[in-house]
Amino acid sequence: GDMTVRLMNGTNKRMDELSTEDWVLAANDLTMEYVRVESWLHRVSTQEAEFNEFATEDGRTIKLTDKHYIFQGDCSRVDTGPIRAHLLPRAAVSADSV
């Protein structure tokens, strides 16, 4: 719940504070775009869970439950400039396999 997403107005908002009226930055096949939050696949605010925390070399982190999907890919192009969304890996893996 304490991870953040980018909103259309340029601010960041915690996941546990999102509403169905918010527009968040997301990737589609060719680019990044803002999409409206329509629902949650599984949101139980009172449920406790264990999270995997991944840290990147630039100090950013992401927290995911074991079965949450994440795209795993080759990071050799980091710092080489923008990468088009259609070149990103399309196969998601569960966080517990990373």
Side-chain angles (χ1 to χ4, degrees), residues 9-24:
N9 67 7
T11 63
N12 292 330
K13 194 172 196 180
R14 287 173 51 115
M15 295 285 289
D16 60 359
E17 297 173 342
L18 285 175
S19 75
T20 54
E21 300 302 314
D22 289 321
W23 288 73
V24 298

Side-chain angles (χ1 to χ4, degrees), residues 14-82:
R14 287 173 51 115
M15 295 285 289
D16 60 359
E17 297 173 342
L18 285 175
S19 75
T20 54
E21 300 302 314
D22 289 321
W23 288 73
V24 298
L25 187 61
N28 72 17
D29 285 343
L30 299 175
T31 186
M32 300 294 286
E33 66 181 350
Y34 289 95
V35 296
R36 185 172 171 258
V37 175
E38 295 186 19
S39 66
W40 287 265
L41 293 176
H42 51 85
R43 184 179 194 176
V44 183
S45 60
T46 58
Q47 182 178 358
E48 292 188 22
E50 290 186 27
F51 288 81
N52 300 291
E53 184 171 344
F54 300 98
T56 60
E57 289 182 0
D58 65 359
R60 296 177 188 211
T61 60
I62 184 170
K63 299 174 192 172
L64 304 168
T65 59
D66 277 350
K67 299 306 174 194
H68 194 108
Y69 288 112
I70 185 170
F71 291 95
Q72 181 179 12
D74 176 9
C75 296
S76 64
R77 293 186 58 193
V78 171
D79 295 328
T80 62

